[in-house]
Amino acid sequence: MFDVMIIGQIAIDTNTDYDGTVQTIHGGAVLCSGQAAAALGYNVAVVPKGNPDEINPFNDFKNRKNITVFDRRSESGTHMEHVYYTADRERRDCRCTSQIEPYTPDDIPDEEAKIYHLAGLVVGVFAGLATGAGVVISQAYGAHDDDRLSKAVH
């Protein structure tokens, strides 16, 4: 059983700093929270979804022995553009220029976790889990044997 399963896309972030410096990096909640939970010693599952021509999630998590990657594919990837107006990066504009196809119940691994973290970046990422998200959250609170829950996720 995993301590936490984090579900969300790894984004390709194009950051333009206040001085005009441009940097392209990988970002997103699944990447940041997955690394943080692993650094704290938790047994972590991550379920990143993206375009395999753009991102190899195994590379993003390769330095952590306590992260298991369940790679999911999408024809499109998530791309974010961030323009920072101040050195402290507190004033900024952010824009999503493309996003992954929504997660579906089939994207969720048939694995147990104590906590399920839906770590999406933009609206619509979990549209395919409208029923499934409720099941995941209910199961996280111990409702595994409740007949009222559909098997949309597991």
Side-chain angles (χ1 to χ4, degrees):
M1 175 183 289
F2 293 99
D3 293 313
V4 61
M5 181 180 293
I6 305 167
I7 305 162
Q9 71 273 47
I10 296 173
I12 297 175
D13 291 345
T14 301
N15 299 322
T16 303
D17 239 337
Y18 72 100
D19 64 0
T21 304
V22 178
Q23 182 183 34
T24 301
I25 62 171
H26 289 179
V30 70
L31 182 59
C32 297
S33 57
Q35 293 285 4
L40 291 170
Y42 292 105
N43 183 22
V44 179
V46 294
V47 189
K49 189 172 188 177
N51 182 321
D53 294 331
E54 298 175 341
I55 290 178
N56 178 347
F58 296 99
N59 288 337
D60 288 309
F61 295 104
K62 68 182 175 186
N63 295 325
R64 296 284 183 198
K65 293 178 182 158
N66 51 332
I67 294 181
T68 301
V69 177
F70 295 93
D71 186 22
R72 300 300 185 252
R73 306 299 176 97
S74 174
E75 287 187 29
S76 56
T78 298
H79 293 254
M80 303 294 293
E81 293 179 354
H82 308 282
V83 178
Y84 298 97
Y85 299 106
T86 58
D88 64 5
R89 292 187 159 194
E90 288 300 318
R91 293 183 32 112
R92 62 187 172 268
D93 286 327
C94 300
R95 186 168 72 103
C96 179
T97 59
S98 72
Q99 72 181 51
I100 62 167
E101 298 158 359
Y103 278 87
T104 66
D106 290 337
D107 289 324
I108 308 305
D110 190 18
E111 299 284 340
E112 296 278 327
K114 295 175 186 172
I115 298 170
Y116 294 84
H117 176 187
L118 302 178
L121 298 174
V122 291
V123 173
V125 173
F126 299 116
L129 294 179
T131 302
V135 173
V136 168
I137 293 166
S138 297
Q139 289 178 341
Y141 285 99
H144 296 280
D145 298 321
D146 191 327
D147 292 334
R148 296 171 294 172
L149 297 177
S150 80
K151 289 296 181 187
V153 173
H154 288 288

